[in-house]
């Protein structure tokens, strides 16, 4: 799937709408059409172009890490093959260099994953934090918008899936290190004749025999010629002579062990962790703002028909009382239930015949209003001279779910600055809205 995906664009738009003044067009027919605005704004370098550039930087940082791991693997093997005049190489010293630290890291990773399996942590770890730090530094020098950079990190490293991303990067780096070591070992064995030996002061000969036979268990499944007990005992460091077959058996044992115990497990766990990372991201629920944006453009025509059917009793137009002009309100609108949202002025005269008039100026009044929801027609009057804030959005999102026949009436005295903001809020909350013009 090509980047950026629809979900990536949606995440970027949601972050920008929440933390900046950016807003998607309210007149778009569907979500993909609305998200195209990310490709054109701002005109200098669009938000989406910056977002895509950050993704490229992140991928290049990971590629750089893998290349460094390859180089380290290539450089780690030759010193271990530095032989004396007798061309002797300590077989188990090679194992420690190529597989010892790999095994230690694997154990630490497994214990950490088990310990944090049930924890809902957002920790990014040292490796991922380093990549993010490099990404931000490069972004700063590339003159990328700070909000876009933050939105990208929020999208790339969502909560509850960071450990799988860290694990996939770590396993991939170790896999490159071990694969490079395996390649270098193969090249050195093809171009040099060495005697594989072992020596010990504290352990017995039987201990090395048992260890070698244990490590040979899996390679034997593939029919590889491996050292037998005679080969192992004949490779003691104080024994000078070593047959060609013994050397070949040790070489097969070394190459098979590096691949089967090192490279292959890292490749498998890289793929598994990467799959878990994508599954966790796919299963993560959308944020509130993402849901608002999705609902804003979902089946707009169907939603409009449903609203008109719900308010079918509103037919015709009327000339409202006194100094108002509301040709979209139903004939009996001013005799229905009304509520004044954060209303600081005197109660309008045209509501003198209303069945009830409630004030929604405080949290307790708004909570009581939500708790007393019913199916009767309800009108909420808002002042277009005041801008809706985050708390206002939250309230109207909740009220739209509990009142089935609700209308937002936007009071405009001719100089209101925030009419479009209230209309946009009504669309986001799926509430029928109309404008009520008043004379001074």
């Amino acid at each position: 799937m090509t980047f950026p995906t629809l979900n990536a664009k949606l995440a970027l738009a949601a972050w920008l709408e929440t933390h900046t003044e950016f807003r998607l067009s309210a007149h778009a027919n569907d979500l993909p059409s609305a998200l195209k605005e990310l490709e054109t704004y701002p005109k200098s370098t669009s938000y989406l172009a910056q977002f895509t550039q950050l993704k490229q930087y992140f991928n290049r940082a990971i590629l750089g890490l893998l290349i460094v791991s390859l180089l380290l693997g290539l450089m780690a093997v030759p010193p271990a093959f530095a032989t004396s005049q007798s061309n002797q190489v300590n077989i188990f010293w090679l194992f420690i260099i190529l597989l010892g630290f790999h095994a230690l890291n694997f154990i630490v990773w497994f214990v950490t994953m088990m310990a944090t399996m049930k924890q809902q942590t957002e920790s990014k770890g040292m490796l991922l934090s380093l990549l993010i730090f490099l990404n931000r530094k490069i972004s700063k020098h590339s003159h990328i918008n700070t909000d876009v950079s933050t939105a990208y990190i929020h999208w790339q490293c969502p909560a509850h899936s960071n450990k799988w991303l860290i694990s996939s990067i770590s396993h991939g780096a170790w896999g490159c290190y071990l694969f490079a070591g395996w390649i270098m070992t193969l090249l050195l064995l093809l171009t040099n004749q060495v005697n594989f030996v072992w020596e010990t002061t504290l352990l017995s000969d039987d201990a090395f025999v048992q260890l070698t036979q244990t490590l040979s268990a899996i390679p034997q499944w593939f029919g590889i010629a491996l050292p037998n007990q005679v080969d192992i005992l004949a490779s003691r460091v104080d024994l000078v002579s070593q047959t060609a077959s013994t050397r070949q058996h040790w070489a097969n044992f070394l190459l098979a062990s590096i691949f089967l115990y090192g490279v292959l497990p890292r490749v498998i766990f890289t793929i598994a962790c990467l799959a878990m990372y994508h599954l966790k991201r796919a299963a993560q629920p959308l944020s509130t703002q993402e849901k608002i944006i999705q609902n804003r453009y979902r089946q707009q025509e169907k939603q409009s028909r449903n609203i008109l059917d719900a308010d079918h009793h509103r037919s015709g137009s009327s000339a409202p009382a006194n100094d108002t002009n509301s040709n979209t309100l139903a004939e009996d609108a001013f005799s229905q239930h009304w509520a004044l949202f954060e209303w600081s002025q005197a109660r309008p005269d045209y509501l003198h015949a209303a069945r009830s008039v409630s004030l929604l100026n405080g949290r307790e009044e708004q909570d009581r209003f939500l708790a007393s929801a019913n199916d009767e027609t309800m009108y909420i009057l808002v002042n277009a001279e005041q801008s809706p804030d985050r708390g206002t959005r939250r309230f109207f999102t909740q009220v739209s779910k509990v009142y089935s026949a609700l209308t937002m009436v936007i009071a405009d005295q001719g100089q209101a600055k925030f009419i479009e903001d209230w209309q946009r809020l009504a669309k986001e909350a799926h509430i029928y809205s109309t404008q009520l013009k008043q004379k001074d």
Side-chain angles (χ1 to χ4, degrees):
M1 186 177 294
T2 57
F3 182 86
T5 61
L6 183 66
N7 288 339
K9 294 178 182 178
L10 178 60
L12 174 60
W15 183 273
L16 292 174
E17 284 202 355
T18 304
H19 297 87
T20 68
E21 298 298 325
F22 174 81
R23 294 292 182 275
L24 294 176
S25 173
H27 306 291
N29 295 327
D30 51 30
L31 181 59
S33 301
L35 292 175
K36 287 184 178 179
E37 191 168 349
L38 294 170
E39 303 175 11
T40 58
Y41 185 86
K43 293 183 179 180
S44 55
T45 305
S46 68
Y47 287 137
L48 193 61
Q50 297 178 46
F51 196 77
T52 304
Q53 194 172 3
L54 286 170
K55 177 63 174 176
Q56 294 174 351
Y57 290 155
F58 191 81
N59 291 343
R60 289 172 186 173
I62 295 178
L63 180 60
L65 176 65
L66 299 181
I67 292 175
V68 170
S69 300
L70 280 170
L71 295 176
L72 290 175
L74 293 174
M75 293 186 296
V77 176
F81 270 87
T83 60
S84 61
Q85 294 182 354
S86 61
N87 291 334
Q88 293 181 344
V89 177
N90 192 315
I91 182 67
F92 288 102
W93 182 247
L94 283 174
F95 272 108
I96 292 174
I97 292 177
L98 290 172
L99 295 178
F101 295 107
H102 146 75
L104 180 62
N105 172 267
F106 208 94
I107 293 172
V108 172
W109 171 80
F110 183 78
V111 171
T112 302
M113 292 296 289
M114 291 295 101
T116 60
M117 188 61 69
K118 296 183 179 181
Q119 295 180 5
Q120 303 296 334
T121 177
E122 297 185 18
S123 175
K124 294 180 173 60
M126 184 173 63
L127 178 59
L128 190 56
S129 298
L130 176 61
L131 292 175
I132 293 173
F133 173 77
L134 293 175
N135 208 50
R136 285 177 174 172
K137 286 297 181 182
I138 296 173
S139 304
K140 184 178 180 181
H141 291 290
S142 302
H143 305 290
I144 292 180
N145 186 284
T146 304
D147 291 307
V148 176
S149 179
T150 308
Y152 172 76
I153 297 301
H154 182 77
W155 172 82
Q156 182 69 69
C157 310
H160 317 314
S161 62
N162 286 328
K163 59 184 177 182
W164 297 110
L165 178 59
I166 298 169
S167 298
S168 63
I169 296 173
S170 176
H171 287 307
W174 273 102
C176 289
Y177 171 84
L178 293 168
F179 182 70
W182 184 84
I183 292 293
M184 181 57 71
T185 302
L186 177 62
L187 291 175
L188 290 173
L189 291 175
L190 288 173
T191 56
N192 293 274
Q193 178 176 310
V194 296
N195 294 320
F196 292 98
V197 299
W198 55 270
E199 56 184 333
T200 181
T201 302
L202 297 178
L203 301 178
S204 63
D205 293 354
D206 292 337
F208 275 101
V209 173
Q210 183 64 36
L211 177 59
T212 305
Q213 291 177 343
T214 301
L215 292 174
S216 301
I218 296 179
Q220 283 178 349
W221 298 347
F222 301 92
I224 301 173
L226 300 172
N228 53 33
Q229 188 170 356
V230 175
D231 293 329
I232 298 171
L233 294 177
S235 301
R236 185 68 189 254
V237 72
D238 52 354
L239 299 179
V240 178
S241 61
Q242 192 172 83
T243 64
S245 62
T246 299
R247 289 194 297 267
Q248 188 174 11
H249 290 168
W250 278 116
N252 293 340
F253 175 64
L254 178 62
L255 290 172
S257 297
I258 295 174
F259 190 84
L260 294 176
Y261 298 123
V263 178
L264 190 59
R266 290 294 183 175
V267 172
I268 293 174
F269 276 90
T270 298
I271 296 173
C273 291
L274 199 58
M276 284 297 299
Y277 167 69
H278 287 292
L279 287 174
K280 287 288 185 179
R281 285 191 53 173
Q284 190 166 358
L286 296 176
S287 66
T288 302
Q289 188 62 30
E290 287 175 324
K291 291 179 181 178
I292 291 175
I293 293 176
Q294 255 189 358
N295 294 333
R296 187 188 305 168
Y297 303 101
R298 180 178 292 166
Q299 301 176 348
Q300 289 187 347
E301 293 182 1
K302 182 179 179 180
Q303 292 171 359
S304 298
R305 287 196 296 270
N306 290 340
I307 292 173
L308 290 174
D309 289 342
D311 296 333
H312 183 70
H313 63 279
R314 304 175 186 174
S315 59
S317 61
S318 64
N322 299 334
D323 55 355
T324 64
N325 178 19
S326 177
N327 56 8
T328 59
L329 287 173
E331 294 179 357
D332 60 344
F334 293 103
S335 62
Q336 300 295 333
H337 298 283
W338 283 73
L340 308 180
F341 182 77
E342 295 185 355
W343 195 264
S344 58
Q345 305 173 8
R347 193 170 89 170
D349 294 336
Y350 49 80
L351 296 182
H352 68 278
R355 293 174 62 183
S356 66
V357 179
S358 306
L359 287 176
L360 304 177
N361 290 341
R363 183 64 180 270
E364 294 182 358
E365 294 172 338
Q366 295 172 7
D367 290 342
R368 285 197 300 269
F369 183 76
L370 292 170
S372 59
N374 53 61
D375 296 332
E376 296 186 37
T377 303
M378 175 63 67
Y379 296 86
I380 299 182
L381 186 65
V382 299
N383 189 354
E385 295 181 1
Q386 299 175 358
S387 173
D389 55 18
R390 190 174 300 176
T392 303
R393 293 177 182 274
R394 182 170 54 252
F395 170 76
F396 277 98
T397 301
Q398 294 174 340
V399 79
S400 66
K401 298 177 181 179
V402 294
Y403 280 88
S404 58
L406 181 67
T407 300
M408 178 192 292
V409 182
I410 306 172
D412 175 20
Q413 294 184 351
Q415 298 179 345
K417 302 178 181 178
F418 303 104
I419 295 176
E420 292 184 357
D421 293 338
W422 285 103
Q423 291 173 341
R424 185 183 300 112
L425 172 58
K427 283 188 176 183
E428 293 174 357
H430 307 302
I431 299 175
Y432 181 83
S433 66
T434 183
Q435 188 175 343
L436 183 64
K437 294 186 178 180
Q438 303 173 238
K439 299 179 181 179
D440 295 335

